[in-house]
Amino acid sequence: MFKKDISPGSKSKVKSSVQRAIRTQLVQTYPLLAPHIDEIIPKKEQLDAMKIPERVTLYLIGPTPLFYQHMTDALLPHLKLVHRFPTCFPSIRIDRGAIRFVLSGATLMAPGLTSTGGRLPSGNSEEKGGYGELGGKGEEGKLYWKGDEDDDEREDGKEGWYGGRELEKGEPVVVCAEGKREACAVGLLSMGTKECKEKGKGPVVEEGHYLGDGLWRLVTE
Amino acid sequence: MADVEAPLEPQSRHVVYCGVCSLPPEYCEFGGTVKKCQDWLQKNHSNMYERLWSEDALAAATSTLSLDAQKRAEKDAHKKALKAEAAEAKQAATIKSSKVIIKRVERNKRKFVTTVTGLENFGLENKKVAKDLGKKFATGASVTKVASGGEEIVVQGDVSEEIEEFFLEKFPVIPEDNIELVEDKKKKGSGAGG
Ligand SMILES: [Zn+2]
């Protein structure tokens, strides 16, 4: 969606009623964000909106990009926000071989997820909580979340946890990568994760936002 | 209803991004500037450099790919690096051969404007620079299209020398020899044209 460079548009202030509505919508879409919503969009700070191409609105506070939205689709987190709160979004993982394709803006295809290096939700809807490359389940199913920049050891050497319910077609998803801590893409599922496992082929995330794309490089200061 | 403000401890992680390619450093390998990225990381975050680029780390990272896929990835990386080098060389050549022209233009009797052209070749944005100039000299500065197709910055007043000084200080990307000061005097008494 953002293969081309984007030149910054002008920012406009979001009305406080709209700002409240966005907060509510975010917590509905991403229940795991609820404990952090005051940190992400503090009540007293002004949320700004920037119109960018392809009928997308980017929401920011100061220079910090937070979410973007295509027309009235679901609000999707900017990757920098995902990096700040990595376990608050449902995620899947691609194998190493698929990384360079995703980073060049190619559609994410099922084989990159169903291979040994890939991860899809376990389908156990009893499991709740953090997903993703940095999150995991420690003792007694307790969720942990490591993330110090210079912290070199992942807790107990555990890799990310990709449990939880199957995700439906049209749901937002964060794309992590084999061997990497940070997520590399965000988008809407064009195929449910269950179907993805069953079929093992076809596009899974199209038109996403990925590391190094126009949205990533957009100057927001 | 009173809002009780509990002191909020920030939970947000702070992630390091590469000073060269802007990605998380673990993804530098997919860009075309790997060498530069590595140098930057070693200098600025040596821990992370060790984690990402030590021989063990590299071996672990590639072992999961089939030999074929490894070769293809290598080829791809090589191509990207070449492309990036070519782009850099081209940019360097452009800079060498480009000039920023600061021109003093007499508009009326003893009324001057100063125009600036050629900044885009140095990777600078006219709109931003105009804003800076307006602030710096507390005067009007705007960007207008010129007949030849490009853009120029028009600053009110005769400030050509000050602009040159400002550029030298603020934009080291422009070599001093590539800035030219010129004057555009109107011929007196010429009726038409002007
Ligand atoms: Zn880099």
Side-chain angles (χ1 to χ4, degrees), chain A residues 24-78:
Chain A
T24 311
Q25 202 182 328
L26 283 175
V27 173
Q28 267 166 12
T29 316
Y30 308 104
L32 300 171
L33 270 188
H36 310 294
I37 195 72
D38 283 330
E39 186 179 346
I40 297 169
I41 307 179
K43 286 203 181 97
K44 286 181 181 164
E45 291 211 38
Q46 176 64 51
L47 187 68
D48 289 329
M50 185 192 279
K51 295 254 181 251
I52 55 179
E54 308 274 346
R55 299 194 194 187
V56 172
T57 307
L58 174 68
Y59 293 99
L60 334 84
I61 286 189
T64 310
L66 299 175
F67 293 90
Y68 70 95
Q69 185 173 35
H70 172 245
M71 298 173 74
T72 54
D73 296 352
L75 284 155
L76 287 166
H78 189 281

Side-chain angles (χ1 to χ4, degrees), chain B residues 18 20-23 28 33 37:
Chain B
C18 173
V20 178
C21 73
S22 85
L23 305 190
C28 287
T33 53
C37 293

